Amino acid sequence: QAAADPMSSSDAPEDGPKETSSVSQNISDADAFKILLEMKMKKRQKKPNLPSTVTELDTEDGSKVYVVGTAHFSDSSKKDVVKTIQEVQPDVVVVELCQYRVSMLKMDEKTLLKEAKEINLEKLQQAIKQNGVMSGLMQMLLLKVSAHITEQLGMAPGGEFREAFKEASKVPFCKFHLGDRPIPVTFKRAIAALSFWQKVKLAWGLCFLSDPISKDDVEKCKQKDLLEQMMAEMIGEFPDLHRTIVSERDIYLTYMLKQAAKQIELPRASETESRKYIPAVVVGVVGMGHVPGIEKNWNSDLNIQEIMSVPPPSASSKIFKFVIKATVFGLMGYGCYRIGQRTVQFILSMPAAQSYLQKLTEIRSQH
């Protein structure tokens, strides 16, 4: 703490650093670890006072997992996350994010609001380059849903994940894990599950989303995450899509939580000392819509290899991809044609151009 706070070190007496140095030399890394761990254990509540949105799960080796079900646009959810981490002092915090969305942890609310509202051609090109035409378009359409909620509420998504990141950094020896399946895998599997007309219908529904949303609606949806509830309403007639976007991710999140809940090995004073393990305490921060699926899969033997594979594009995907490309290039060509036509008309209307054309006409008539 003294190293982190300049005021603490500057206010210390002159002989302070010498004393600290001699003390630190007499304490081994293992002893220091044990002291800090004891302090953490004393702070950890044996019977934590947890919010009603928390589900407690146990592993066979005695580890505990506290799953905080959140609404992605809720101030109340942020408070639930902070309280849970402070009460249980976890060894690992797992959040419903993947490496493709980790940037939202370090961005401030103002920047995220701006980013969510600005869905432009550059972002579309980046999404297509990263995930392919079909998956990139699906990602941008889902971002439009998120941006719609952001615009209605004036609140950026992922606030509960940013709070979890901040609180985890305050807990000694607490690791921070990303627990969600990579977005490209989810979108590619989702696209592969739809027929050509289902893709068109889903895209149409997402493009014309405009229902107003209030903050009260968000809190009412606390029992089922707002964003996922809106998606569930739109994909209700597509069970295969629901399976890839929700059910498969339930399995993946469960697997990652169980991996994080493995027992912790205590440091040893020497190589000859026997290894000792203690049960882990884990806090998981996920959308409320995933909690029932996590509970359902908790005691099952999970294999995520199958849900990580990306099937080859179907014939309908190839047709849809061709139609999209043809439409884009057609619009670009028409735009260039219109721009070119207007440019020529503008140049010809200029007096200098008219005078030049008149001289050319006179020269031709003389010959």
Side-chain angles (χ1 to χ4, degrees), residues 219-270:
E219 295 308 323
K220 287 176 183 177
C221 291
K222 192 75 173 291
Q223 298 306 311
K224 190 172 184 182
D225 179 64
L226 178 62
L227 182 58
E228 291 179 5
Q229 177 167 318
M230 293 178 69
M231 288 304 303
E233 290 174 357
M234 284 186 287
I235 67 178
E237 58 187 289
F238 311 133
D240 290 333
L241 192 60
H242 185 274
R243 172 177 54 79
T244 54
I245 291 181
V246 181
S247 302
E248 288 184 0
R249 287 172 60 225
D250 289 346
I251 294 171
Y252 191 91
L253 287 164
T254 307
Y255 178 84
M256 295 302 287
L257 285 168
K258 293 178 82 170
Q259 289 296 306
K262 289 183 176 179
Q263 287 191 326
I264 300 169
E265 181 182 353
L266 294 176
R268 294 178 293 166
S270 66

Side-chain angles (χ1 to χ4, degrees), residues 163 217 288:
E163 290 297 326
D217 291 332
M288 182 61 76

Side-chain angles (χ1 to χ4, degrees), residues 124-138:
L124 176 60
Q125 289 174 335
Q126 186 178 358
I128 290 175
K129 185 178 179 181
Q130 180 177 300
N131 304 316
V133 175
M134 292 303 306
S135 299
L137 287 171
M138 178 65 73

Side-chain angles (χ1 to χ4, degrees), residues 134 191-192 194-197 199 313-322:
M134 292 303 306
I191 290 298
L194 296 176
S195 67
F196 173 77
W197 291 113
K199 291 168 188 171
S314 61
S316 63
S317 293
K318 292 178 181 178
I319 294 170
F320 194 68
K321 183 177 179 179
F322 175 78

Side-chain angles (χ1 to χ4, degrees), residues 327-347:
T327 304
V328 170
F329 284 117
L331 289 171
M332 287 175 64
Y334 179 72
C336 291
Y337 165 74
R338 293 293 295 172
I339 291 171
Q341 189 180 42
R342 289 179 181 178
T343 303
V344 172
Q345 290 176 349
F346 174 73
I347 292 172

Side-chain angles (χ1 to χ4, degrees), residues 22-68:
S22 63
V23 171
S24 62
Q25 287 176 0
N26 294 329
I27 299 178
S28 66
D29 290 343
D31 290 336
F33 184 94
K34 287 178 181 178
I35 291 170
L36 287 171
L37 189 61
E38 285 176 8
M39 291 171 61
K40 177 179 177 177
M41 293 301 183
K42 286 179 181 178
K43 197 174 180 181
R44 181 180 286 172
Q45 300 296 322
K46 292 183 179 179
K47 293 184 179 180
N49 181 22
L50 300 173
S52 60
T53 53
V54 176
T55 300
E56 185 177 337
L57 300 169
D58 298 303
T59 66
E60 293 178 356
D61 55 21
S63 295
K64 286 190 175 294
V65 178
Y66 300 92
V67 182
V68 188

Side-chain angles (χ1 to χ4, degrees), residues 136-345:
L137 287 171
M138 178 65 73
Q139 181 177 344
M140 292 307 296
L141 288 171
L142 291 175
L143 279 176
K144 184 181 182 297
V145 177
S146 179
H148 170 65
I149 303 174
T150 298
E151 189 175 3
Q152 293 282 321
L153 301 181
M155 181 189 299
E160 72 275 32
F161 303 139
R162 289 188 290 281
E163 290 297 326
F165 185 64
K166 290 176 189 175
E167 287 302 314
S169 66
K170 300 175 186 178
V171 179
F173 312 115
C174 183
K175 297 178 182 178
F176 190 85
H177 290 183
L178 304 176
D180 202 2
R181 183 172 64 178
I183 279 181
V185 175
T186 297
F187 283 131
K188 286 174 182 177
R189 287 184 62 84
I191 290 298
L194 296 176
S195 67
F196 173 77
W197 291 113
Q198 285 176 327
K199 291 168 188 171
V200 172
K201 193 170 184 179
L202 179 64
W204 183 266
L206 291 170
C207 284
F208 293 93
L209 178 72
S210 59
D211 294 337
I213 303 161
S214 69
K215 288 190 177 183
D216 289 338
D217 291 332
V218 177
E219 295 308 323
K220 287 176 183 177
C221 291
K222 192 75 173 291
Q223 298 306 311
K224 190 172 184 182
D225 179 64
L226 178 62
L227 182 58
E228 291 179 5
Q229 177 167 318
M230 293 178 69
M231 288 304 303
E233 290 174 357
M234 284 186 287
I235 67 178
E237 58 187 289
F238 311 133
D240 290 333
L241 192 60
H242 185 274
R243 172 177 54 79
T244 54
I245 291 181
V246 181
S247 302
E248 288 184 0
R249 287 172 60 225
D250 289 346
I251 294 171
Y252 191 91
L253 287 164
T254 307
Y255 178 84
M256 295 302 287
L257 285 168
K258 293 178 82 170
Q259 289 296 306
K262 289 183 176 179
Q263 287 191 326
I264 300 169
E265 181 182 353
L266 294 176
R268 294 178 293 166
S270 66
E271 292 295 329
T272 57
E273 186 180 345
S274 60
R275 296 178 183 273
K276 294 180 181 178
Y277 297 86
I278 59 171
V281 172
V282 177
V283 169
V285 182
V286 304
M288 182 61 76
H290 289 293
V291 176
I294 291 171
E295 286 187 276
K296 176 184 175 182
N297 292 301
W298 189 250
N299 294 316
S300 304
D301 291 328
L302 303 175
N303 183 2
I304 62 170
Q305 294 303 317
E306 184 181 345
I307 61 172
M308 288 298 291
S309 63
V310 178
S314 61
S316 63
S317 293
K318 292 178 181 178
I319 294 170
F320 194 68
K321 183 177 179 179
F322 175 78
V323 170
I324 291 294
K325 281 187 175 180
T327 304
V328 170
F329 284 117
L331 289 171
M332 287 175 64
Y334 179 72
C336 291
Y337 165 74
R338 293 293 295 172
I339 291 171
Q341 189 180 42
R342 289 179 181 178
T343 303
V344 172
Q345 290 176 349

